[in-house]
Amino acid sequence: SELAEADEHSALSKLAEQLKEQQAERERSTYKGKNTSLERVFLHPSSINFHQREYNTPWMVYREKVKTSKVFIRDCSVVPTYAILMFGGDITVQHEKGIVTVDGWIKFRAQARVGVLVRELRKLLDRLLEKKIGDPRLDIASTDVLAGIKKLIVGSGFVIGS
């Protein structure tokens, strides 16, 4: 069963695209994905990701969606799972089913304790950001919270710029 069920009214519907790992020999643009309304989309030939053969995550964000001969997305980037968990919408954990849901529609299989730990880390991040908003001069870059989040994202194979 598909883990990412769509909710057309989701706040992330314009941002998140779930890519399937399909390749067609005759056309490079057959990296297919579906947005939250389950609309089939393709990478535009001008996209930097168009020639990419494999993705280490099934998630992508994009800036522009255009319809010509097909529905294409451009200006897109892959998004690590932990980035969705850390910076996406509200997190709910279905302990008995082993499912973590972000923003009411992005679903991940995970042990309940992982979901709870991520949710608690998000709460710490939210509190830290509230402090930063209250005092813009506050240096939060070297906090344990951000160091932990960075380790999660980098540990999943992504590089974070300095």
Side-chain angles (χ1 to χ4, degrees):
S1 89
E2 190 70 31
L3 288 180
E5 296 176 357
D7 175 5
E8 292 180 358
H9 303 293
S10 170
L12 294 179
S13 66
K14 292 182 181 177
L15 297 177
E17 297 295 330
Q18 182 180 25
L19 295 179
K20 295 179 181 179
E21 295 180 352
Q22 299 178 359
Q23 298 177 3
E25 293 300 320
R26 62 187 166 101
E27 185 178 13
R28 287 192 182 275
S29 65
T30 55
Y31 291 102
K32 299 174 194 73
K34 293 184 179 182
N35 62 15
T36 58
S37 61
L38 295 180
E39 174 183 31
R40 188 174 176 186
V41 297
F42 298 85
L43 291 175
H44 193 274
S46 68
S47 170
I48 193 166
N49 289 311
F50 180 73
H51 297 289
Q52 185 74 26
R53 301 305 270 166
E54 294 182 22
Y55 298 96
N56 53 358
T57 178
W59 298 98
M60 210 174 248
V61 293
Y62 65 92
R63 190 180 135 260
E64 183 178 20
K65 181 171 74 168
V66 295
K67 184 174 183 177
T68 55
S69 59
K70 299 176 185 175
V71 177
F72 291 101
I73 56 172
R74 293 195 276 221
D75 303 329
C76 54
S77 296
V78 293
V79 179
T81 299
Y82 279 112
I84 292 172
L85 290 166
M86 289 290 101
F87 307 112
D90 292 332
I91 293 178
T92 56
V93 180
Q94 296 178 13
H95 300 272
E96 66 286 346
K97 292 182 180 179
I99 295 177
V100 177
T101 305
V102 178
D103 199 38
W105 69 276
I106 304 171
K107 297 186 180 194
F108 300 100
R109 286 198 191 281
Q111 294 177 356
R113 66 187 172 134
V114 172
V116 170
L117 289 171
V118 167
R119 187 177 60 204
E120 293 305 309
L121 185 56
R122 274 280 297 278
K123 287 179 183 177
L124 291 172
L125 175 62
D126 290 345
R127 280 190 227 127
L128 186 61
L129 292 173
E130 286 174 8
K131 287 180 182 178
K132 177 70 173 176
I133 290 169
D135 181 5
R137 293 180 298 207
L138 180 66
D139 180 18
I140 63 171
S142 60
T143 62
D144 290 341
V145 172
L146 289 184
I149 291 170
K150 184 176 179 179
K151 282 182 182 180
L152 284 173
I153 293 172
V154 171
S156 64
F158 283 80
V159 176
I160 297 177
S162 55

